[in-house]
Amino acid sequence: MANMQRGEIDALIGGETRTLCLTLGALAELEARLQAGDLNGLVERFAAGRVSARDLTAILGAGLRGAGNAVSDDDLARLSIEGGLKGAAEICVRLLKATFGEAV
């Protein structure tokens, strides 16, 4: 069960309800993977709506690993996500808002 006070959310991924959380380690992973430079770069990128399918996979994967799920981005890409691409984007928005607030 997700703890909103810790920035966690729950989402249906691969037929299971999974918890996602962008911990400091997960955010560092995203900065490097998306070549954002720093947290401000991440926030600006997401707030501007410049997000690709690859970005969605990176965000979801980092969030899953941040919450303790042992899943690679390759494995994640093969899992079903409730709502398809739109559902994946909505999960990312919820996760980013849980992490950064309304800045994104």
Side-chain angles (χ1 to χ4, degrees):
M1 176 76 97
N3 179 343
M4 291 297 292
Q5 300 290 34
R6 292 177 31 193
E8 296 176 347
I9 66 162
D10 283 333
L12 187 59
I13 299 174
E16 297 178 28
T17 299
R18 300 172 192 249
T19 300
L20 296 88
C21 182
L22 290 176
T23 61
L24 277 177
L27 289 167
E29 176 186 330
L30 275 177
E31 285 175 353
R33 177 107 190 269
L34 302 179
Q35 301 175 347
D38 58 22
L39 288 176
N40 286 332
L42 282 178
V43 171
E44 289 170 6
R45 179 179 180 141
F46 301 143
R50 298 184 318 254
V51 181
S52 67
R54 183 185 46 198
D55 294 344
L56 295 177
T57 301
I59 294 164
L60 293 174
L64 285 165
R65 288 185 292 278
N69 296 279
V71 61
S72 70
D73 287 351
D74 288 338
D75 292 337
L76 172 61
R78 289 187 282 279
L79 294 175
S80 64
I81 297 176
E82 183 179 37
L85 178 60
K86 181 181 178 197
E90 290 170 351
I91 293 167
C92 286
V93 168
R94 288 193 302 121
L95 180 57
L96 293 168
K97 284 185 177 181
T99 304
F100 295 110
E102 294 300 319
V104 291

